Amino acid sequence: MRRKQPSRSQRTIHAARPAETPPQATAPAPLAAVSLAGLLSGCTGPQSAFAGAGSEAENVAFLFWVMLVGAVVIWVLVIGFSIFVTKARPGAFSEAAGLRLIIWGGGVFPVVVLAALLTWGLSIMPDFRREADGPTIAVSAERFWWRVAYDVEGEPGVAKSLPPGGVESANEIWLPVGRRSEILLGSPDVIHSLWVPAIAGKTDAIPGRVNRLVLEPTREGVYHGVCAEFCGDAHAQMGFRVVAVPQAEYDAHVAHQAEPAAVTSGPGLDLFLSSGCGACHTVRGTPADGAVGPDLTHVAGRRTIGAGLLPTTEASIAAFIHSPNHVKPGVEMPAFGALPDTEIAAIAGWLGALR
C-alpha cells in the first residue's frame, strides 16, 4: 500500500512551524541559597542555642560542633572509600585486607571515638553541677505565664512548694553576669519546662516538686526563654525574657522592684479596683492584693506583657484588657470588652505609668 503524500498546504504549514526547543532545566541554586539562609538564620539571635551567652550553652555548642565536624569527615571518608573500591578499583583489596578493615574501621575506631566523646562529655558535667554563688530566684510556671520572686530562701526536693516571700515580678528574669544564679522551679497546675536556649538547657517545672536550675550568663543582653513542654492552648505563647546585667545593675533592679507602685491614686486606679482587677492582681501600695495573676506593681518597666507576647505600651495593655483571649487564645484572664473604651484607656494609662 502506498503511503499518502502530504498536500502542498500541509507541507507549507509544517515548514512555517518553528522547531520546538527542549525545556531548560531550572537551576537549583536560588532554592539552595534560600534553604541555606533559612538554616543559618537559626544559628543567631536571642533564642538560639548556637549563639551561646551562658557557660553551659557555650560548652554544649562547642561539643556539638566538634561532633558535627567529626561526623562529616567520617562520612566523606566512608563514602569516598566505598566509591573507590566499588567503582575506581574493584577487586584491588584481598579478603584478608577487607577483614582487617572491618575489625579496625568498623570495631576499634568507633569504640575509641565513642569512648573519647563519652569521657569528654562526662568531664564537663561537674562544671554544670557546681554550687551557685549568685542569687536564688523562685520561678513558678503557671498557665500561661511565669511568676518570679527574687531573694528567696529554699531548696529543691520532692513534695515541696516554692518558698514564699521574696520580691515578686513576672515574665522577666534578671540575672547578674558572671554569677551562678540558682533557679528554684515549680508549678501549681501542670508540667511546664523552662528553657533559655542561649544560656542553658531546659528543666521541667513539676507540680509537687521543686527542681533546681543554675543559670550563668557570660554576656550582657536580653535573651528569650520559652516553655518547652506542652501545657495547654497558649503553650506556644508562654515566653519570657532573661536580662543579663552587671551585678550592681541587678542589685539596683531588685531594690526598685521591692518598692511600691509609682502611682497610687487617680481615676485609672479607681477603675482598676471597681472593675475587680485587684481580686487577681497585686499592685503594692494600693488595695489591690490579688494573687491569681501576675504582680503588676512595676508592669510598665517590663519589656513585654502577656508573657513575652506584646511590647509594653498603653495600646497593647488596652488591647489585652479588652479581649485577652483574642490576643492570646487560651489565656485564663476574662475579657473586659464590656467596659467603655474610655475606661479601658484610663486603666491602661495608669498601668502604663507603673515603672
Side-chain angles (χ1 to χ4, degrees):
M1 179 181 290
R2 295 181 59 188
R3 186 171 57 182
K4 184 178 180 182
Q5 296 297 323
S7 64
R8 179 178 299 178
S9 59
Q10 289 176 328
R11 289 198 299 269
T12 303
I13 293 174
H14 286 299
R17 182 179 298 168
E20 295 183 2
T21 57
Q24 298 294 324
T26 304
L31 179 60
V34 171
S35 300
L36 181 61
L39 290 173
L40 294 179
S41 66
C43 297
T44 59
Q47 195 173 316
S48 174
F50 295 109
S55 58
E56 181 176 329
E58 290 169 349
N59 285 331
V60 172
F62 182 65
L63 177 62
F64 166 81
W65 286 118
V66 169
M67 293 178 65
L68 178 63
V69 171
V72 170
V73 170
I74 292 173
W75 182 84
V76 170
L77 291 176
V78 170
I79 297 301
F81 185 74
S82 300
I83 295 174
F84 176 77
V85 299
T86 58
K87 301 295 184 181
R89 296 282 303 276
F93 295 93
S94 65
E95 184 176 346
L99 182 60
R100 288 194 298 270
L101 177 64
I102 292 174
I103 294 174
W104 288 97
V108 176
F109 179 74
V111 169
V112 172
V113 171
L114 292 176
L117 289 174
L118 177 62
T119 302
W120 183 16
L122 292 176
S123 69
I124 65 177
M125 288 189 65
D127 184 62
F128 295 165
R129 301 183 64 83
R130 280 191 296 115
E131 290 297 321
D133 59 4
T136 300
I137 304 170
V139 177
S140 176
E142 307 182 14
R143 289 166 42 108
F144 297 96
W145 60 286
W146 306 86
R147 189 188 301 271
V148 180
Y150 298 97
D151 293 342
V152 298
E153 296 183 1
E155 59 184 12
V158 181
K160 288 188 174 183
S161 300
L162 288 172
V167 179
E168 190 162 327
S169 183
N171 300 322
E172 197 169 273
I173 305 174
W174 285 54
L175 300 174
V177 173
R179 302 289 300 278
R180 293 178 58 80
S181 301
E182 182 175 56
I183 307 297
L184 297 179
L185 188 59
S187 173
D189 41 49
V190 299
I191 297 176
H192 304 268
S193 186
L194 183 145
W195 187 23
V196 191
I199 297 179
K202 63 188 74 171
T203 300
D204 283 352
I206 303 173
R209 179 184 180 92
V210 176
N211 283 336
R212 172 183 182 268
L213 171 66
V214 174
L215 300 178
E216 184 182 1
T218 57
R219 189 171 70 244
E220 295 180 30
V222 179
Y223 307 100
H224 293 191
V226 297
C227 176
E229 182 79 26
F230 180 74
C231 54
D233 292 347
H235 158 71
Q237 297 171 318
M238 186 175 169
F240 60 97
R241 299 291 184 267
V242 171
V243 184
V245 295
Q247 181 69 53
E249 191 173 342
Y250 168 83
D251 294 336
H253 173 76
V254 174
H256 176 65
Q257 294 298 302
E259 297 174 356
V263 182
T264 56
S265 62
L269 171 61
D270 296 339
L271 289 169
F272 182 87
L273 296 173
S274 63
S275 300
C277 305
C280 293
H281 298 280
T282 289
V283 180
R284 295 190 297 277
T286 75
D289 59 356
V292 177
D295 186 300
L296 301 180
T297 304
H298 299 287
V299 62
R302 301 168 196 158
R303 286 162 174 77
T304 64
I305 64 169
L309 187 59
L310 298 173
T312 304
T313 64
E314 290 187 18
S316 297
I317 296 173
F320 204 86
I321 294 173
H322 185 276
S323 305
N325 203 63
H326 177 74
V327 177
K328 185 174 182 175
V331 69
E332 297 186 355
M333 173 179 165
F336 287 85
L339 294 177
D341 291 343
T342 54
E343 294 186 5
I344 293 178
I347 296 173
W350 173 67
L351 291 173
L354 302 184
R355 296 188 175 276

